[in-house]
Amino acid sequence: MQTISNSKRPHWALRDVLLLAFVAVFIGFIFWILGPVYNILAAALTPLGLAPFANDLLIGGWMMAAPLASVLIRQAGAGVLGELFAATVEMLIGGQWGVSTLLSGLVQGVGSEAGFGLLGYKDWHWRGIFASAVTGTIVTFIWSLFRDGYASYHIGLLVALFLTRFVSLLFFGGVLVVAIQKLIEKAGVLRRD
């Protein structure tokens, strides 16, 4: 059996790198699938004047790699690298946003990992995941104010989009990440020392 990284180790082991690669490919494929889902959802919401909600409803799915890599590998930098590498996989298999996916992956990874960093990389459970969702929401929302034109929206819409984004990050980056983590641990493929 392999061992999931112990956060007290100052270096990355080969198993950490292999686990990061697995997360990147697995989640990168999910990112790629979310592109067409986003298109359909945005098209359905446009007649209602709610198209921006498509991004905020799904953004948690696009940010799953960072918290998953963080809770599995438990090393500083795992979230940023996991998100960036998953974005690279999405781009390489034909994601609709092309190279710009890499910049989004970097911003999302930094935002998500910041929560674990604020807790000193010591809490890899719900408190860390919650902090990751909070920082991920704040960082990516600020990014959307500039990149996606959110700065032109009225305050009511901004609050609704912010809350929608936070719930999306809690669901995808919290509930689903914990479920995936438990499945991996239950399978016995990885264990902690």
Side-chain angles (χ1 to χ4, degrees), residues 3-13 15-16 74-75:
T3 304
I4 290 180
S5 298
N6 183 342
S7 61
K8 294 177 180 129
R9 277 200 341 252
H11 64 281
W12 285 59
R15 67 180 158 260
D16 299 327
R74 298 184 177 191
Q75 294 281 350

Side-chain angles (χ1 to χ4, degrees), residues 7 76 113-124 127:
S7 61
E113 185 162 329
F116 294 104
L118 286 175
L119 298 176
Y121 294 103
K122 293 179 182 170
D123 193 326
W124 306 103
R127 198 172 123 206

